[in-house]
mmCIF file of all heavy atoms in Angstrom:
data_model
loop_
_atom_site.group_PDB
_atom_site.id
_atom_site.type_symbol
_atom_site.label_atom_id
_atom_site.label_comp_id
_atom_site.label_asym_id
_atom_site.label_seq_id
_atom_site.Cartn_x
_atom_site.Cartn_y
_atom_site.Cartn_z
ATOM 1 N N ALA Z 803 93.259 32.572 139.134
ATOM 2 C CA ALA Z 803 93.715 32.713 137.691
ATOM 3 C C ALA Z 803 92.542 32.602 136.765
ATOM 4 O O ALA Z 803 92.606 33.367 135.776
ATOM 5 C CB ALA Z 803 94.727 31.672 137.410
ATOM 6 N N LYS Z 804 91.564 31.791 137.076
ATOM 7 C CA LYS Z 804 90.413 31.773 136.119
ATOM 8 C C LYS Z 804 89.640 33.068 136.109
ATOM 9 O O LYS Z 804 89.173 33.447 134.988
ATOM 10 C CB LYS Z 804 89.401 30.715 136.613
ATOM 11 C CG LYS Z 804 89.841 29.257 136.410
ATOM 12 C CD LYS Z 804 88.895 28.276 137.002
ATOM 13 C CE LYS Z 804 89.369 26.840 136.861
ATOM 14 N NZ LYS Z 804 88.494 25.875 137.536
ATOM 15 N N LYS Z 805 89.673 33.782 137.231
ATOM 16 C CA LYS Z 805 89.072 35.099 137.173
ATOM 17 C C LYS Z 805 89.898 36.188 136.424
ATOM 18 O O LYS Z 805 89.509 37.042 135.859
ATOM 19 C CB LYS Z 805 88.916 35.624 138.635
ATOM 20 C CG LYS Z 805 87.846 34.852 139.434
ATOM 21 C CD LYS Z 805 87.745 35.334 140.810
ATOM 22 C CE LYS Z 805 86.770 34.486 141.649
ATOM 23 N NZ LYS Z 805 86.710 34.975 143.010
ATOM 24 N N GLY Z 806 91.234 35.975 136.486
ATOM 25 C CA GLY Z 806 92.215 36.728 135.668
ATOM 26 C C GLY Z 806 92.391 38.143 136.137
ATOM 27 O O GLY Z 806 93.010 38.940 135.462
ATOM 28 N N GLU Z 807 91.912 38.431 137.295
ATOM 29 C CA GLU Z 807 92.132 39.859 137.859
ATOM 30 C C GLU Z 807 93.462 40.144 138.590
ATOM 31 O O GLU Z 807 94.027 41.136 138.407
ATOM 32 C CB GLU Z 807 90.933 40.276 138.788
ATOM 33 C CG GLU Z 807 89.644 40.216 138.098
ATOM 34 C CD GLU Z 807 88.465 40.680 139.015
ATOM 35 O OE1 GLU Z 807 88.812 41.204 140.078
ATOM 36 O OE2 GLU Z 807 87.310 40.431 138.572
ATOM 37 N N VAL Z 808 93.834 39.103 139.370
ATOM 38 C CA VAL Z 808 95.062 39.268 140.167
ATOM 39 C C VAL Z 808 96.160 38.355 139.706
ATOM 40 O O VAL Z 808 97.281 38.810 139.701
ATOM 41 C CB VAL Z 808 94.757 38.917 141.677
ATOM 42 C CG1 VAL Z 808 95.943 39.012 142.606
ATOM 43 C CG2 VAL Z 808 93.603 39.736 142.282
ATOM 44 N N ILE Z 809 95.878 37.160 139.194
ATOM 45 C CA ILE Z 809 96.796 36.239 138.799
ATOM 46 C C ILE Z 809 96.336 35.645 137.387
ATOM 47 O O ILE Z 809 95.099 35.524 137.226
ATOM 48 C CB ILE Z 809 96.911 35.065 139.731
ATOM 49 C CG1 ILE Z 809 97.605 35.559 140.975
ATOM 50 C CG2 ILE Z 809 97.761 34.028 139.216
ATOM 51 C CD1 ILE Z 809 97.595 34.568 142.182
ATOM 52 N N GLU Z 810 97.299 35.380 136.499
ATOM 53 C CA GLU Z 810 96.984 34.765 135.352
ATOM 54 C C GLU Z 810 97.940 33.596 135.028
ATOM 55 O O GLU Z 810 98.995 33.520 135.446
ATOM 56 C CB GLU Z 810 96.894 35.690 134.202
ATOM 57 C CG GLU Z 810 98.370 36.356 133.976
ATOM 58 C CD GLU Z 810 98.310 37.570 132.994
ATOM 59 O OE1 GLU Z 810 97.232 37.743 132.324
ATOM 60 O OE2 GLU Z 810 99.271 38.202 132.802
ATOM 61 N N GLU Z 811 97.312 32.537 134.345
ATOM 62 C CA GLU Z 811 98.112 31.405 133.947
ATOM 63 C C GLU Z 811 98.909 31.824 132.643
ATOM 64 O O GLU Z 811 98.359 32.328 131.672
ATOM 65 C CB GLU Z 811 97.295 30.194 133.660
ATOM 66 C CG GLU Z 811 98.218 28.981 133.285
ATOM 67 C CD GLU Z 811 97.310 27.789 133.006
ATOM 68 O OE1 GLU Z 811 96.295 27.587 133.598
ATOM 69 O OE2 GLU Z 811 97.735 26.974 132.160
ATOM 70 N N VAL Z 812 100.270 31.597 132.714
ATOM 71 C CA VAL Z 812 101.075 32.073 131.513
ATOM 72 C C VAL Z 812 101.749 30.945 130.759
ATOM 73 O O VAL Z 812 102.182 31.165 129.652
ATOM 74 C CB VAL Z 812 102.095 33.168 132.003
ATOM 75 C CG1 VAL Z 812 101.566 34.386 132.420
ATOM 76 C CG2 VAL Z 812 103.042 32.577 133.015
ATOM 77 N N GLN Z 813 101.788 29.757 131.390
ATOM 78 C CA GLN Z 813 102.417 28.682 130.830
ATOM 79 C C GLN Z 813 102.078 27.338 131.492
ATOM 80 O O GLN Z 813 101.748 27.351 132.647
ATOM 81 C CB GLN Z 813 103.996 28.852 130.988
ATOM 82 C CG GLN Z 813 104.855 27.765 130.205
ATOM 83 C CD GLN Z 813 106.325 28.186 130.423
ATOM 84 O OE1 GLN Z 813 106.756 29.131 131.042
ATOM 85 N NE2 GLN Z 813 107.158 27.247 129.888
#
Side-chain angles (χ1 to χ4, degrees):
K804 285 178 185 175
K805 293 178 184 176
E807 293 181 19
V808 179
I809 293 172
E810 58 190 355
E811 183 182 328
V812 292
Q813 184 180 355

